Amino acid sequence: MNIANWLHDTQRRDPQRPALFDGTRQTADYATFAAHARQRAACLVDQYGLGPGDAVAVLMKNSGDYLELLYAIWWMGAVAVPINAKLHPTEAAWIATNAEARLIFTDGGRVFASRDLPTGCKELDGHVLPPTRPWPTLEHPVPRQDSDLAWLFYTSGTTGRSKGVMLSHGNLMAMSLCYPTDVDPVSGDDAVVYAAPMSHGAGLYNFIHVRCGARHVVPASGGFDAAELFGLAAELGNVSLFAAPTMVKRMVEQARRQGYTGEGIKTVVYGGGPMYLADLREALDTFGPRFVQIYGQGESPMTISVLPRALIADRQRPDWATLAASVGHAQSCVEIRILDAEHQPVPTGERGEIAVRGATVMQGYWRNPHACEQALVDGWLLTGDIGFLDPAGYLTLTDRSKDVIITGGSNVYPREVEEVLALHPEVFEVCVVGEPDAQWGESVVAFVVTRSGQALDDAELTAWFLERMASFKKPKKYLFRDELPKNSYGKILKTDLRQLLKAGSIAAVR
Ligand code: AMP
């Protein structure tokens, strides 16, 4: 089934139900939301000659138009390729090329020089609503199979290049149906606030809220501002949102400053990175029982495990600290196993790689059979995360086998940062790791060995970096060394560098 049927069904049943909001201002009811999606779908077919299976990229900040575009793409059977709006245009162009996008929607339609885009790919302003045209074949969303692609989800790879995770209509439906079953019941009175980019987790939560006829709210600032969020919640009521743990931390700080205690917030679903117990305690003290944790990854979107609200809130339980530090138990449509290096299950309580099987697991990586073979083994998705299961089925994440750095809820892959710095003529060797950071969760730190043996100017390296890559990936700190620690194979020992940072022995390093 085409997941756009959910929008079609809701607008038939409840055309006047409020749908899209810019801040507290309603911009569309469900009838208008669906009419605009259909209008845009007709334009894709009629004016640009697109058909089912064609890829359409969206590189835009959060907006109601973004949601209309996504549903337009699905309505006529095409595949959406949402791209993180914070990426550098050259990174975004690489994704559009890899996805073989036929169109790319941007804010304003003038982000790219046409030579940067793949041949035949056209850039359009996503905020322009095309004129209505009669297109009777699009009265209903075009039929799609559950296995047909709906969303190419680009996640960074340790090779430094993004991989396109192939999510089908069936994957997205399974993910969405797990939400009310495992995470939080949804009603038409709810308001989902998109405080994080729609191209990722926050956007994936649109489906179940469309299905249930809830309100979709984009903060007027376009992003995450805790004070603004509290104002929205107080005015709109029944607000739910997905937030990275670092966002929860900022919410707590702001709430304490202004004496806010969570009025109007129904649920904060947190995940995407570790939530430290001390922070969770403070969040509960400030906001009460409003939290649910999820663990997932692009390859099984938002849906591996869940730590339910009641458990998080029950601090009287003797095992609370242990369970609250876990990522909960498997969501309804997946099973979890812990595997050893030979991909054999390990006994309960032992650590190994977390593997997942079930209806949310991706169809594979787009045009990347090699990565696919490595990630999908005998029907199991190897997550690259290390953890263990307890006898009751609670999963604890202990490490990430990938070296991804999660800063402010965004993933930064060290390898791609290293590649940019290594291009600098004065840089001999470089290694990038994450350092625990009270505000951002982790921050990016680059260890650098220069050719001359002299430290370089931080500002110069930063300028070099910003010419080539998105600002959120730039190192917050450069530490110059005479050499980097290596094992006998010549491999740089990242763990030693992390230890060095932890031990705070940096003064001696520079
Ligand atoms: P992404 O594919 O960008 O969503 O990143 C997924 C990765 O984020 C996972 O493989 C984990 O390493 C990490 N992650 C996701 N959820 C959690 C969580 N609840 N706690 C700790 N780490 C998480």
Side-chain angles (χ1 to χ4, degrees), residues 244-257:
T246 49
M247 288 163 68
V248 174
K249 211 167 151 62
R250 279 155 70 191
M251 283 169 64
V252 169
E253 280 166 18
Q254 179 60 31
R256 293 199 168 160
R257 265 199 294 275

Side-chain angles (χ1 to χ4, degrees), residues 229-358:
L229 172 70
F230 303 158
L232 279 176
E235 198 153 329
L236 296 169
N238 277 346
V239 156
S240 298
L241 69 149
F242 174 70
T246 49
M247 288 163 68
V248 174
K249 211 167 151 62
R250 279 155 70 191
M251 283 169 64
V252 169
E253 280 166 18
Q254 179 60 31
R256 293 199 168 160
R257 265 199 294 275
Q258 67 180 71
Y260 172 77
T261 54
E263 299 79 14
I265 293 186
K266 179 186 166 216
T267 306
V268 179
V269 181
Y270 66 87
M275 168 72 100
Y276 303 108
L277 267 188
D279 293 340
L280 181 59
R281 284 200 174 93
E282 291 204 340
L284 288 166
D285 289 343
T286 311
F287 296 111
R290 289 182 162 86
F291 297 92
V292 181
Q293 182 186 193
I294 60 104
Y295 158 56
Q297 59 175 206
E299 291 82 347
S300 181
M302 310 304 268
T303 318
I304 298 177
S305 65
V306 60
L307 189 63
R309 179 197 304 260
L311 200 156
I312 292 177
D314 185 5
R315 280 188 278 178
Q316 304 310 317
R317 276 179 79 124
D319 54 358
W320 182 82
T322 309
L323 293 183
S326 79
V327 292
H329 54 72
Q331 292 200 36
S332 304
C333 69
V334 296
E335 45 186 331
I336 297 174
R337 269 186 183 176
I338 307 293
L339 304 179
D340 65 17
E342 278 74 48
H343 302 149
Q344 295 307 308
V346 302
T348 302
E350 264 182 40
R351 280 166 204 226
E353 181 164 10
I354 299 165
V356 187
R357 184 166 71 173

Side-chain angles (χ1 to χ4, degrees), residues 398-420:
T398 52
D399 207 353
R400 287 166 298 187
S401 64
K402 304 165 191 167
D403 288 317
V404 63
I405 300 167
I406 301 178
T407 176
S410 293
N411 283 5
V412 177
Y413 284 81
R415 174 75 183 268
E416 52 178 351
V417 177
E418 288 161 1
E419 277 176 4
V420 166

Side-chain angles (χ1 to χ4, degrees), residues 97-160:
T97 307
N98 184 260
E100 299 160 19
R102 299 272 310 274
L103 293 175
I104 183 162
F105 286 100
T106 60
D107 295 304
R110 290 165 175 271
V111 172
F112 300 96
S114 59
R115 65 171 185 280
D116 295 336
L117 288 173
T119 328
C121 177
K122 203 168 156 43
E123 178 181 357
L124 298 173
D125 183 353
H127 299 291
V128 176
L129 185 66
T132 331
R133 62 193 81 219
W135 206 257
T137 52
L138 288 176
E139 193 50 44
H140 295 265
V142 306
R144 297 267 78 195
Q145 300 292 324
D146 285 357
S147 58
D148 283 333
L149 280 194
W151 186 315
L152 263 185
F153 182 102
Y154 272 83
T155 141
S156 298
T158 35
T159 54

Side-chain angles (χ1 to χ4, degrees), residues 23-102:
T24 53
R25 188 175 60 90
Q26 182 181 329
T27 56
D29 56 20
Y30 268 91
T32 313
F33 179 9
H36 286 177
R38 218 173 17 234
Q39 213 164 311
R40 291 174 187 273
C43 172
L44 295 179
V45 177
D46 188 18
Q47 202 168 336
Y48 296 102
L50 263 56
D54 283 332
V56 180
V58 183
L59 174 73
M60 287 167 60
K61 298 200 181 103
N62 290 356
S63 66
D65 290 338
Y66 198 130
L67 277 180
E68 290 182 5
L69 278 168
L70 289 178
Y71 277 88
I73 293 166
W74 295 317
W75 200 287
M76 46 71 62
V79 180
V81 188
I83 303 176
N84 183 352
K86 286 195 267 177
L87 288 186
H88 192 278
T90 46
E91 296 170 278
W94 185 89
I95 291 176
T97 307
N98 184 260
E100 299 160 19
R102 299 272 310 274

